[in-house]
Amino acid sequence: GSSDIWFPSTSCTTSACKAHTRFNTAKSSTYQKDGRKWTISYGDGSNASGTLASDIVSVGGISVRQTIGLATQESSQFGSSPEDGLFGLGFDTIESVSGVKTFMDNAIAAGVLAQPVVSVFLPSERLFNGEGGEYLFGAIDNTKYTGSLTYVPVTQEGYWQVLVQDAAYNGQSLGQTSQGIVDTGTTLIIVGDDAATAIHGQINGSTNDPNNGWLVPCSVAQSTDNISFTLGDTAFNVPVADLAFQDLGDGSGNCVSGVQGGQNDLWILGDVFIKNNYCVFSQTSSPSIGIAPIAH
C-alpha cells in the first residue's frame, strides 16, 4: 500500500531504530547525498521521517540506483517489527516526495527486467506451513498457480486499485461491489461495513465485537465453505477456513476473523486473499493484476 523504500539511519537513536540494523552512509561507497526532507505514515498509525539519499539497491540480482528514505525518527510500532525497513511496490504517484521514482520504475527504465512484473506467492500456514514464499521480479512462475491468469485492469494508479465486481458466499452473490486494492502489506481482507456484515451473516456464531472487530468460531478452520471476490469477471476464492485468523486466547473459542469492515469506499484484499491467489503486478503502459488460484 506504499511506494517508498526506506531504512533506519545510524543517526536515528530512538529505541525503535536501535532494535534494527541501521544504514551507515559512511560504509557505502555508492551512497550519494540528497538532503530533501522525507516523512511517511501508514494506515495503522505508524510513521517515520528523515532525509532522502541515493544508493544502489539490489534485489534478487536486479540492481538499480534508487532514491531511498533514511529515517532519523521511527514511531514505537516499528520497534517490535522483524523487518529493518520497508520496500514499497505501489506506483510513483504515492511516493512521499513528489518526483521520486520507484524501484520498479527504475528497473524497467534500465531494461534489467525480462518483463515489467512482480509476481507474488505468499504460501499460507494452513497449506504450506508458511514456507516457500517469493516475490519474483521480472518473471512469472507458472508452477505456482492453476489454470490461466486473469488480468484485471488497474482503475487508478497509486495503490494497485481494481474494481471488485461482487462478493459471494458459496457462489451466491451478496450484492456487494467496490473499488479495492490488492495489497501485500495488509494482513487481512478489509471491506466495507455492509459487505463485512453480509459475509459474516453466512457464518454461524459470528459476532462484531466492539474491541476486536469481527469474530468467528475458531472451528471454522475445518469449514469447506468459500467466500469469493469477482475481479475481471472471474470469481476468486478465499476459504472460510482462513477466516479463523487468530484465537482470542480467552477460552471463548472465538477467533479474530480474516475479514474485517471499515473500508467503505476502498476495500483491501490483503494477504488472506493473496495466500490463496497468485498475483502478478504488471506495470505496463496499461497496468493490470494477473490473478489465478494458487496450486496446492
Side-chain angles (χ1 to χ4, degrees):
S2 64
S3 300
D4 294 49
I5 296 176
W6 66 269
F7 314 95
S9 164
T10 48
S11 61
C12 180
T13 56
T14 66
S15 58
C17 285
K18 285 182 174 180
H20 296 105
T21 301
R22 290 173 289 172
F23 186 91
N24 187 342
T25 59
K27 292 187 176 181
S28 172
S29 62
T30 49
Y31 161 80
Q32 292 178 2
K33 186 177 181 178
D34 182 307
R36 284 177 288 175
K37 299 294 185 185
W38 162 85
T39 184
I40 192 167
S41 58
Y42 297 94
D44 62 357
S46 60
N47 61 81
S49 61
T51 58
L52 294 181
S54 169
D55 210 330
I56 303 300
V57 173
S58 298
V59 180
I62 307 294
S63 297
V64 297
R65 176 158 288 282
Q66 179 65 42
T67 300
I68 57 176
L70 296 181
T72 55
Q73 175 277 326
E74 286 183 6
S75 61
S76 59
Q77 293 99 319
F78 290 111
S80 57
S81 296
E83 72 277 358
D84 295 316
L86 271 288
F87 193 106
L89 289 168
F91 292 91
D92 58 24
T93 50
I94 57 169
E95 281 276 1
S96 296
V97 177
S98 179
V100 171
K101 295 299 183 183
T102 68
F103 179 85
M104 283 298 290
D105 288 340
N106 291 325
I108 291 166
V112 294
L113 298 176
Q115 299 178 65
V117 301
V118 181
S119 302
V120 179
F121 174 65
L122 298 182
S124 69
E125 289 281 348
R126 184 172 61 85
L127 296 176
F128 298 93
N129 296 316
E131 297 173 352
E134 67 176 22
Y135 285 73
L136 183 60
F137 287 81
I140 299 167
D141 186 347
N142 58 20
T143 69
K144 294 290 194 286
Y145 63 88
T146 60
S148 57
L149 292 161
T150 296
Y151 282 88
V152 185
V154 168
T155 55
Q156 183 173 323
E157 294 180 28
Y159 307 113
W160 285 86
Q161 184 172 328
V162 294
L163 173 63
V164 184
Q165 295 163 300
D166 193 18
Y169 193 95
N170 284 343
Q172 293 297 116
S173 173
L174 299 174
Q176 303 291 324
T177 184
S178 178
Q179 290 289 313
I181 66 173
V182 181
D183 181 24
T184 59
T186 297
T187 305
L188 305 182
I189 295 171
I190 310 178
V191 296
D193 291 327
D194 288 348
T197 299
I199 289 168
H200 290 95
Q202 303 295 315
I203 303 171
N204 290 334
S206 297
T207 55
N208 192 2
D209 181 82
N211 296 315
N212 297 295
W214 281 100
L215 306 176
V216 295
C218 295
S219 58
V220 304
Q222 279 72 53
S223 175
T224 57
D225 289 357
N226 283 294
I227 300 163
S228 64
F229 297 91
T230 298
L231 301 91
D233 298 323
T234 303
F236 298 100
N237 284 339
V238 172
V240 169
D242 283 338
L243 267 61
F245 181 72
Q246 185 174 32
D247 195 320
L248 283 181
D250 60 359
S252 66
N254 285 326
C255 281
V256 174
S257 175
V259 173
Q260 295 293 327
Q263 285 286 132
N264 289 322
D265 299 317
L266 191 67
W267 296 2
I268 305 175
L269 301 182
D271 299 337
V272 171
F273 177 83
I274 297 168
K275 68 186 181 183
N276 290 291
N277 297 283
Y278 190 70
C279 292
V280 177
F281 297 88
S282 176
Q283 196 173 321
T284 63
S285 57
S286 298
S288 61
I289 309 174
I291 310 174
I294 57 163
H296 61 88

